[in-house]
Every structure is written in structure tokens, then in C-alpha cells.
Amino acid sequence: MTLDISSAPIASDTTDHAPPYGGRSSGSAPRPGRAGGRGRSALLHDLPASLAVFLIAVPFSLGIALATGAPLTAGLVAAAAGGLVAGLLGGTPLQVSGPSAALTVITAGVVAQYGWRIACAVTVAAGLLQLLLGSLRVARAALAVSPAIVHGMLTGVGLAIAIAQLHVVLGGSPQSSALANLRALPGQLAGPHPPALAVGALAVAVLFCWPRLGRLPGAAGRIGTRLARLPAALVAVAAGTTLSLTLGLHLARVELPGWQHHALAAAPSGRLLAEHWSDLLTVVLTVTAVAGVESLLSSVAVDRMTHTTSDLDRELRGQGLANMVSGLFGGLPVAGGAVRSTANVQAGAVSRWSAVLHGCWVVLAALALAGGLRRIPLAALAALVLVVGVQMVSYAHIRRIHRHREFPVYLVTVLGVVGLGVPLGVTLGGTVAGLLALHRLTRARVDVTAEPDGSHRVRTHGPLTFAAVPRLSRTLGRIPPGAAVTVHHDGSFLDHAAYEALHTWRAMYQAAGGRVAMVTDQHGRDAALDPDGTMEPDPAAGARQFRAWTPWMGHHSIEQDGGDAHGRLLDGVRGFQEHTAPLVRQELARLAREGQTPSQLFLTCADSRMVTSMITSSGPGDLFTVRNVGNLVPAPHEPGAADDSVAAAVQYAVEVLEVGSITVCGHSGCGAMKALLDGIHEQPGTPTPLVRWLRNGRGSLARSKRAPASFTDRPAADPVEELCITNVVQQLDQLLANPAVERRVAAGTLRLVGMYFDFATAQAYVLDNGTGRFAPVSAEHCGEPLQQRTPVTA
């Protein structure tokens, strides 16, 4: 989830983040657990990072406690337990835990129905169950929950939180449920409390405007960048408090009771257990699941930011112990949070001591700053939590879920959580997800085409199961007797019922005088599909995987010199229309309706040997590709050499398409690099268009002489290859001259990746962040996305 309430950009649990190109990042600092991250060196990084996280954690913890109806001290206890216990014992060193925003609605319901002390007991029981699950090493299984359900739950909780806190901002009190809050909202809007509304509006304005101060032009932008380092949450609460005190506004303020009156956990009475054991068990299981999944997703997000691998089972055990401690001492449920963790990483933390120190500062603040905290207006805290709730609705996730056709699951989960509560809402979402998966598993299409010669062609699409047998039988029954029939099976799952139906029909049809040939689209499946040995391999096998180069290998050895080049092109188009178009037509139709949403910009050379779809295994809609001679990115500061076409494509990809990464890919034997080494760009006289264009590579030539790039496993073959890989590094630098790229990279939402492809060995290399050298991409990493595996470095 994305909770952008601090001055630092906040990580998403499904979005990959990389350190800015050429800048210091968590990846370049000493890694957790290494010698360089211990002692004085670690303290120099972790101490300021812990203070930055502390300034975010205090107002956030108070706001969550306010939203749940718990004592406000409970939020501070949870923040301290999350920092000290989960920070010290968890499996993700740079994750910072604290009160869980996703559990706000659940905790509020328990507090309202059973009281605060029973809510603490529920937290202890959930922590004990998390500890047990972590000991059984099942943490990875929690990540199997459908993202549509997870994000639907977060959206529903966020909406419920926002609606409830809107009442407080307007000067009223929230109701017992989201539906009750919705029903009461018109009346509250009709008669707001002006002082509370003024303080809340000021806090909301600060939360949205403070991180954007750095975008101001000129000197104001430079000053704004420095000011924006202060957490927006802290500034918003401070601004609301200052306004209320300056004007002497009569407002409800933080009621922070003395610690001598702080309520601790209490075991439920025997009567309560006897009457409500099933409800309490459901709540415990829900808190366990929601807090566990939230923590594990946040751990994955931290791993992607820091390029490390966490021990998720240890993290779950650490979270369980933190919840037990928090509940025993009267605190809220604890979970790893994206807000605090991202702030910790971006503040430069290198070890778990940052989270532990943040917990120490929270304890000191709770003991020494109670008087100052009591001056905070509730409207300012409510505004903070309202913004958090609204930003839990991630439109990027909605678009991604819709693209994967999971929106019904998401929508049902959201409506269920808002209308019925988290447990029933998640159950409804899971039920719809299961039904949708079953529908897709049993969905099959059978098409019959009559050919001009009187034969018929039958094509199956999707898994053929018992549910598809009636449709299959009806379709085959409409084929006139005595014809020649070819049945093309696409290689999807074929269960026994469909197998029997298909082969029974074939036997009966052949007995009546017809001829039947069966063809499969996947090699190696013939014996399983047709024990008689009559199933023939499809000559178009492999087209389903969009590997157009597979049939190309069969004809490219034909003499290429002379002949009709245009005729060969049309032959290729005919092959596409016959074999590939039927397989991709549905996907291309979807792209035509929805438009393009590529995740990456791929900038490479115009060389005819570079087939981007082949080396990236990509298909329609995956890459926004820019090709030019030498894969150059013109630097606008070079007079007479700038070119707006590349800059325009980059700006469109970054600002309109919002790609998450830009890959600059060079290749071996590049003619542009050979020309630069030959000095073609220095020819006297009026420069030709090619010469003017190649002048954009002068920076690469100078860099190659000064600090050439290299490989990790071998030396460069010759000066041309050395210039080719150095050119990739140089073009990544020149990309940052584009203001759109610079802004996104600085915000941590855009990654720059360097890549090189060697034709002779069919080997791809990627620029490694740790060494600054090009490392080969090995086959065992094929399942890992390129932009998540290897960041770029200067």
C-alpha cells in the first residue's frame, strides 16, 4: 500500500523501487549484518535515521489509537514494542513496526463490543499464534493470498477509516460502523464545527503540499527541498496545534492519561468465553492473518528497496513477540508498516539498530513529553489518519488488478469490508476469487471452421474438463458426416472426461466414413493425449509463446542475397496471420480497448540483429521501445547535437505512461561505436545528418578513455566492445538531464538499468550496482524480473 504522509516517497508492496542512478542509496551503504554496518559506522547512519522515523511514528501512533477508540497511550506502547521487540528480533533488519492501520476497524469493533482490556488479550493471543506459525515456517504461504483480496481489504479499511475520521474533522464523533458513519455524514456536513474544520483543513493541506515544496521554481525550490526533509505528518500536526493555541480555539484535545491509570490486558471471563468464544476466535484469527500479511508484504517491499533477502519466518516470529508484549502492556496490535519502513530506508539506515533506537525515543517521549502531547487537537490527528485512509486506496493497484481481470474480487472485498467488516469482507472476496478461478479453469472455447475444400478444422482454446464436455459434444455433433476433420488442441489441460468424449466422437465419426486427424500445439504431450499414436505435432508449435523466431530459424538459412525481399516480408506476414494471429487476437483486442500500459521503456540500437522481444521474452504491450543508431540519449547541454525526438519519447514514457524502469541496451559490434572510434564525428566540412547524430556519443568516447566500463567475468574483446559498454553507462548519465527522469528517479519511483547483449554468445549482461561492472544474466535467474534483480550504478 502507498501511504505518502512523510516527505519521503513511500514504497508500495507490489511496486519495485531502486536507488537513484548515480546517488547514494541503501544499496551502497554497509549492508545489515556485515562488518561495515557495525559499531561507529552503523551508528552514524542509524542514529539520524531513527530520529526521522520517530518524528513520523509519534503522531501516526496517536492517530491510529484515536481511530480505534483505544487509550492514546496504547498507540505509544505499540510503537515502542514494534521498535524494541520486532526491530531487535525480526527477520527484516530495516523494517520498522508499529500500530497497524489495516487493523484499525477490527480493533475498534473489539473495543466497542468487549472493552479495551479484552482487546489487549486478543492482541496477545494473535501474537502467540503468529509466533507458532513462524515456528512452523509457513510465512511464505501468506504471500499466496490473492493481491486483489489484500488490496481490496486495505481499500475497504482505508475508506472506513476516512469516513469515521471525517466526522472528527467536522467536529463530531464517529459512529459504531462504516454504514452508520455514512448515514450520519449528511447531517454532520450540514452542521460542522468551524474551529475543528479549520484545524483539520490546515493539517490536510500541509500533508498534501509539504512534500511538493521541492517542485517550486528557482531558489524557492531549493529551500523547499530542505524543508521537505521534515516529515509532513509532524509538520501537519504541529501546524494544527499552533493554529489552535494561537487563536485560542476551544477544541477537543488529546487525552493522554497518566501511566498510573494505563490499562493492561485482562483474560476474558469464563462467562464471556462461553457466550462469545466463536466471535473471539474469529477476531484472533483475523488479527493474526491481517497483521501477518501486512508485515510480510512490507518486508517484501523493503527487500526490493534494499536488494536484500529477509527471513520471513523470523520476521513473523518477531511480529508475534512484539504483539504479545504490546498486548500485555496495553498496546495496539503491531505490524510492519510501509510508512515507517520506507522513511527508515531513505534516511540511510543500515542495520536493525535504527528501528530499536526509534523505539527508545518513543519511550522517552511518552514519559517526558506527555504535557506537550496533550495540547494536540483531535481534529489534527483525525486529519492525519483521514489522509492515511484515503491513500490506502491505490489507483495504481486498481489498474493492475483490472488488467489481470481480478476486479470483481477486489470490488466484492471492498464492499464486504465496508459493509460487513473485515472478516466477512475478506471471506466474500476469497469466495469470489475461488469461483472466478474455477470458472477460468472450466472455461473452454471450441471453434469449427469450414474450409473451401469441404474439410473442417476444429480448434480448442483453454482447458478441456468435464464441464466443457456438453459444449464440445454439441459443437462436434454439428459437423456434417463424411468430411475430413482436423482437430487442433492447444495443449491446455485435458481431463479424462473430455479425453473420452473426444476420442469416442472420433471413433464414431470414422466408423461413419469420415476422416479425423488430431494435432496438438505442444511437443512431448502426444503419448498422453493419444495413446494410439495418431496425434500429430502442430507445425506452428511455439507460436503460443510469442516466439516468432522459432519458425524464422527454419527458413532463414535460405539464400538471402537477391530474390524478392518484399515477397519474403509478405510471406512472414502470411505466416503471422495463419499461426500467430489466432492466438494473440484476443489479447491485442484487449490492448486496443484499454490502451497501452507498459511497465518499462527499452532504449536500444536500430541494428537489425537486435530483436528486443526475443532477448526479453516480451509480448504486445510489455515494452515501450525507442530505437536509434547507437542507442544514444542526446544531452541537451551539448550545442548543435541535441535531438528532441528521443527526449520526447522518454518524457512520454515517464510522465504519461508512468513506466517503472528505463533500460538502455547496447550490443556487440555496434557500427555507431566503430564510427566514433574512427573519428567520423570530427570530419571537416558540413556535417551530414549521421555525423551530427554521432556527435551525441562524444561523451561516451571521452569516458571510455578516462574510465572505461568492464565485465565481471571476462575482459572486453576489443576497443569497440569496451566503448559499447561504456556508452551504456554514459547514456544512463545523460538520461538524468531529462527533467522528467530526474524527478522520478529522485522520488525513487523510476529505475535506470544498463544492459549489453553479445551476439556471438547470445549472452545478455546487466550493469551491477555493487561492482559497477557488467555481469552475465544466468539461466537460474530467469524467473526474477530484470528490473528487480539488478539496479544501475555510476
Side-chain angles (χ1 to χ4, degrees), residues 201-215:
L202 175 62
V204 170
V206 171
L207 286 169
F208 279 105
C209 297
W210 193 259
R212 295 168 173 79
L213 291 179
R215 300 181 184 179

Side-chain angles (χ1 to χ4, degrees), residues 57 294 430 468 499 520 703 779 794:
E294 183 182 9
Y499 173 86
T520 178
R703 187 175 194 143

Side-chain angles (χ1 to χ4, degrees), residues 246-300:
T246 303
L247 301 181
L249 302 178
H250 297 287
L251 293 170
R253 299 186 185 273
V254 168
E255 296 180 5
L256 199 65
W259 289 101
Q260 65 272 19
H261 302 297
H262 181 72
L264 303 180
S269 64
R271 180 179 177 183
L272 182 63
L273 281 176
E275 294 178 355
H276 301 282
W277 68 269
S278 61
D279 293 339
L280 290 173
L281 179 61
T282 300
V283 172
V284 170
L285 294 175
T286 303
V287 172
T288 302
V290 174
V293 170
E294 183 182 9
S295 299
L296 295 176
L297 291 176
S298 181
S299 294
V300 173

Side-chain angles (χ1 to χ4, degrees), residues 752-776:
L752 303 184
V753 179
M755 185 173 173
Y756 174 78
F757 188 76
D758 181 41
F759 292 128
T761 60
Q763 177 65 58
Y765 295 81
V766 179
L767 190 58
D768 183 81
N769 184 54
T771 64
R773 302 162 74 187
F774 283 82

Side-chain angles (χ1 to χ4, degrees), residues 23 31 69 128 146 180 193 240 247 359 483 557 590-591 609 638 653 695 792:
R31 292 300 180 102
L128 184 61
S146 169
H193 185 243
L247 301 181
S557 58
R590 183 189 66 80
L591 290 171
R609 298 167 293 179
E638 292 191 17
R695 286 176 178 175
V792 76

Side-chain angles (χ1 to χ4, degrees), residues 545-562:
Q545 287 76 29
F546 301 106
R547 294 174 180 167
W549 55 91
T550 304
W552 166 84
M553 292 175 64
H555 71 74
H556 197 71
S557 58
I558 300 174
E559 180 65 42
Q560 294 293 303
D561 295 331

Side-chain angles (χ1 to χ4, degrees), residues 1-87:
M1 66 182 174
T2 304
L3 307 176
D4 188 7
I5 62 169
S6 71
S7 59
I10 302 303
S12 168
D13 54 63
T14 57
T15 306
D16 179 49
H17 290 262
Y21 175 71
R24 194 194 68 78
S25 70
S26 60
S28 60
R31 292 300 180 102
R34 293 185 181 178
R38 299 191 184 108
R40 182 179 177 184
S41 175
L43 188 62
L44 291 176
H45 293 286
D46 291 332
L47 182 59
S50 69
L51 291 171
V53 178
F54 159 73
L55 294 176
I56 295 173
V58 169
F60 188 70
S61 301
L62 293 174
I64 294 297
L66 172 68
T68 61
L72 296 187
T73 50
L76 299 177
V77 171
L84 294 172
V85 181

